[in-house]
Amino acid sequence: MNFKWLKRYMPRSLYGRAALILLVPIVTIQLVVSVVFIQRYYEAVTVQMTTSVVHELEYLLRRVNTAPDVETAATVLKELQEPLAMEITLPATDAGQERRAFADLSGRAMIKTLRGGVEGVKAVDLLGNDDLVQIWIETRFGDMKVVFDRLRVSARNPHQLLVLMLFTGILMTMIAIIFLRNQLRPIKRLAAASEAFGKGQVVPFHPTGAIEVRAAGNAFLAMRTRIERQMEQRTMMLSGVSHDLRTPLTRLKLGLSMMDEGDDIADLQQDVADMEGLLDGFLDFARGDAGEEPQEVDPLELVQQAISNAHRAGKAVELGKVSGEGKMMLRPKVVLRAVENLIGNAVRYGSRAVVSVVMTDRTLVISVEDDGPGIAAKDRDEALKPFSRLEPARNQNKGSGVGLGLSIALDVARAHGGSLRLGESETLGGLKVDLVLAR
C-alpha cells in the first residue's frame, strides 16, 4: 500500500515526531485496556451479580404465581421484602418504561441477563433513579414492580478506572515530554551551531547530552577546526606568494619607468598592471572572509556604497528596485567586495548595470543586471567555477579578467548560508546575477 499521502499530515520537526512516537503507544494502550477491561471485566461482573438477583426474582415470581389469590400473594411478598432487600408492589400502580443511559454499558448487560433469566419481564428502568433498579414483571395477578439497589447488580463507579488511567497517562506524558525536550536540546544546539557556521558565524558550542549526540558534537567541532585551519593556511600561503611576487613586479615597474617612452614600453607597463590585477584577484579569492567578524549592518547602505565606488570609477551603475528594510548580521567587507565584483563584471561586458535589493524575513537578495550578451543556460554552471572564462561568449573588447569575480561572490554567498543564481535580465536583456544571503 502507498502511504505517501500520510506524510503531509506528519510533523516535520524531530521534536514533533519523537512526541508522536511517544504518544501513539500511550493512547493506543489506554484505548485497548479501556475497551477490553470494561467490556470483559465489568460486563462479566455485572452478569455474575445480576444472575444472583435473577434467582431471587424467579423465587418471588414462583411464590406469587402459586398463591391462591392476590391477597395471599401480597402477604407472602410483604414477608419476603426485608430478607431480600427489595421493595415489591403487587399489583403495580404505574406502567413500566424501558430506559437506560446510552453510555451505561453495565446496564445493557444487566437488562440482557434479567430478560434472559426471568420470564415475563416487561420493562427495566435505570433512569428513574440512578441508585435504584426498577423492574416490572408480568404475573397471574397483574404486573409486579420490584425495586432494589443498583449496587446489587453492577460494580461501583466503573468510570473511576478511566479517570485514573487518563490522569496517569497525562501525567506520564508530561514527564516524558519534559525528558524528551531535555534530550533534544543538545541536538537543537548542534543544529544551530552548524547553521551559524554555514553562514560564516562561529558561535560557542560545547557537546552535551547522550553519548551519540556528544560524538556528533565533537565531530562537528573537529570538522569546524579543520575547515578554519585550511582556510587560514590557504590565506597565509597566497599572502606569502603575493609578497614574493610583488617584489619583482615593483622592480619591473621601476625599471620600465626609467626607460624611454615608446609603444613597447607602454605595452610592458600594461602587462605589469594586468599582472597586478590578476594577483589582487587571486588574493581576493583566497582571502574570502578570513579575519572579519559578522556585524549587524544595513545591506542597503553596503549596496549604495558599492554603487558610489562604481560612480567614482566612471561606471554606469544605478540603484533599481528596493524592497524591505532592516539590519542583519553580515561580514560587510566581503559582501561589499562581492557586490563590487558583480558590478565590475556587469559593466565590463555591458554598457550599464542596475542593482536591486529585496529583503524578506529569511533572505536578502542583491540582484545585478546588465545589458551585455549574457551567459547561455548551459554555460552557467561552468561560469561559477574558479578561473573560468567564457570567451568568446562574453565581449573581450570590454576587458578581461582572471575569471574569479563570480567565484568570489559564490564563496561569499555560501559563507553566509546563501547561494548565487545566474539568469537572464528581463529589463536589460543581459545577465542577471542574484546574490542570495540567509538572514
Side-chain angles (χ1 to χ4, degrees):
M1 298 179 64
N2 190 355
F3 294 98
K4 291 184 178 180
W5 60 270
L6 192 60
K7 292 183 178 179
R8 70 181 67 177
Y9 302 105
M10 293 293 103
R12 296 183 179 274
S13 65
L14 177 61
Y15 184 81
R17 293 184 177 183
L20 187 65
I21 294 173
L22 175 69
L23 291 177
V24 167
I26 293 179
V27 174
T28 303
I29 291 175
Q30 293 273 16
L31 292 176
V32 171
V33 171
S34 299
V35 172
V36 173
F37 190 85
I38 290 176
Q39 287 189 347
R40 299 291 178 86
Y41 178 76
Y42 277 113
E43 289 187 7
V45 170
T46 300
V47 170
Q48 182 179 359
M49 297 175 68
T50 306
T51 302
S52 300
V53 176
V54 165
H55 296 322
E56 298 175 1
L57 294 177
E58 288 181 337
Y59 175 73
L60 288 176
L61 185 59
R62 185 167 57 251
R63 292 294 302 270
V64 170
N65 289 333
T66 56
D69 51 49
V70 65
E71 290 78 7
T72 304
T75 302
V76 172
L77 294 178
K78 186 176 181 180
E79 296 175 354
L80 293 176
Q81 280 189 113
E82 185 175 353
L84 296 179
M86 294 181 178
E87 181 182 341
I88 308 171
T89 304
L90 181 70
T93 58
D94 56 341
Q97 184 179 0
E98 186 90 9
R99 292 187 300 176
R100 175 184 64 88
F102 177 78
D104 191 356
L105 301 179
S106 60
R108 180 176 57 185
M110 181 188 63
I111 294 175
K112 182 179 179 181
T113 305
L114 288 173
R115 289 190 173 275
V118 181
E119 184 178 358
V121 175
K122 298 182 64 175
V124 179
D125 186 2
L126 302 179
L127 290 181
N129 190 325
D130 294 338
D131 297 329
L132 301 176
V133 177
Q134 304 179 60
I135 306 176
W136 286 264
I137 305 175
E138 184 179 2
T139 68
R140 57 180 293 198
F141 302 111
D143 292 342
M144 178 178 63
K145 181 180 179 181
V146 181
V147 181
F148 54 88
D149 195 344
R150 174 70 185 264
L151 295 180
R152 294 184 59 182
V153 291
S154 63
R156 181 187 296 270
N157 299 328
H159 65 279
Q160 290 183 352
L161 173 66
L162 300 180
V163 174
L164 180 61
M165 291 177 58
L166 181 62
F167 175 77
T168 306
I170 293 176
L171 179 62
M172 293 297 102
T173 301
M174 293 177 61
I175 296 175
I177 288 178
I178 294 174
F179 178 77
L180 181 63
R181 180 181 299 175
N182 293 334
Q183 295 301 309
L184 293 180
R185 186 178 292 115
I187 300 178
K188 296 174 67 176
R189 291 180 58 249
L190 174 60
S194 302
E195 183 179 3
F197 186 64
K199 296 179 181 179
Q201 306 171 12
V202 179
V203 299
F205 174 75
H206 178 69
T208 57
I211 297 177
E212 295 80 4
V213 180
R214 289 175 181 265
N218 290 325
F220 164 74
L221 291 177
M223 178 194 68
R224 188 172 70 177
T225 302
R226 288 195 299 268
I227 292 176
E228 291 174 343
R229 188 186 306 117
Q230 182 181 9
M231 295 172 60
E232 182 180 357
Q233 290 175 350
R234 183 184 71 170
T235 303
M236 293 179 59
M237 179 189 68
L238 290 180
S239 296
V241 172
S242 169
H243 181 271
D244 293 340
L245 290 178
R246 286 187 186 278
T247 300
L249 283 178
T250 302
R251 290 198 300 265
L252 285 175
K253 289 176 63 177
L254 180 61
L256 291 174
S257 64
M258 299 178 62
M259 298 177 65
D260 297 333
E261 295 185 0
D263 294 339
D264 294 338
I265 299 301
D267 292 340
L268 290 175
Q269 290 176 340
Q270 181 61 44
D271 290 340
V272 173
D274 290 342
M275 292 177 65
E276 287 184 331
L278 295 177
L279 187 58
D280 291 337
F282 291 148
L283 287 177
D284 286 342
F285 178 71
R287 188 162 49 242
D289 58 358
E292 185 180 12
E293 294 296 328
Q295 304 175 22
E296 189 176 28
V297 298
D298 186 353
L300 182 58
E301 294 181 359
L302 287 180
V303 173
Q304 291 174 339
Q305 182 180 351
I307 294 176
S308 177
N309 295 340
H311 288 166
R312 288 199 298 269
K315 300 175 181 179
V317 184
E318 61 184 80
L319 181 63
K321 175 185 176 183
V322 176
S323 175
E325 60 181 6
K327 295 184 177 182
M328 60 183 293
M329 298 298 295
L330 295 173
R331 288 181 167 86
K333 292 182 180 179
V334 296
V335 173
L336 178 62
R337 186 187 310 132
V339 176
E340 289 179 342
N341 282 332
L342 295 180
I343 293 176
N345 282 347
V347 297
R348 179 182 297 117
Y349 300 109
S351 60
R352 68 189 184 98
V354 177
V355 183
S356 304
V357 179
V358 177
M359 187 182 303
T360 65
D361 294 337
R362 302 186 62 181
T363 59
L364 167 69
V365 182
I366 302 176
S367 302
V368 180
E369 304 177 63
D370 61 56
D371 58 353
I375 299 178
K378 61 183 180 64
D379 297 327
R380 289 171 185 169
D381 291 338
E382 184 68 23
L384 296 176
K385 297 179 180 179
F387 310 107
S388 176
R389 299 176 59 191
L390 301 179
E391 327 285 2
R394 307 286 272 173
N395 188 358
Q396 295 187 37
N397 295 329
K398 292 291 183 179
S400 60
V402 70
L404 288 174
L406 294 178
S407 299
I408 293 174
L410 178 60
D411 276 358
V412 172
R414 288 174 175 173
H416 289 78
S419 61
L420 193 71
R421 300 192 299 243
L422 303 183
E424 183 178 350
S425 173
E426 297 180 356
T427 56
L428 302 182
L431 180 67
K432 179 181 180 181
V433 182
D434 293 331
L435 178 65
V436 184
L437 307 179
R439 296 194 68 179

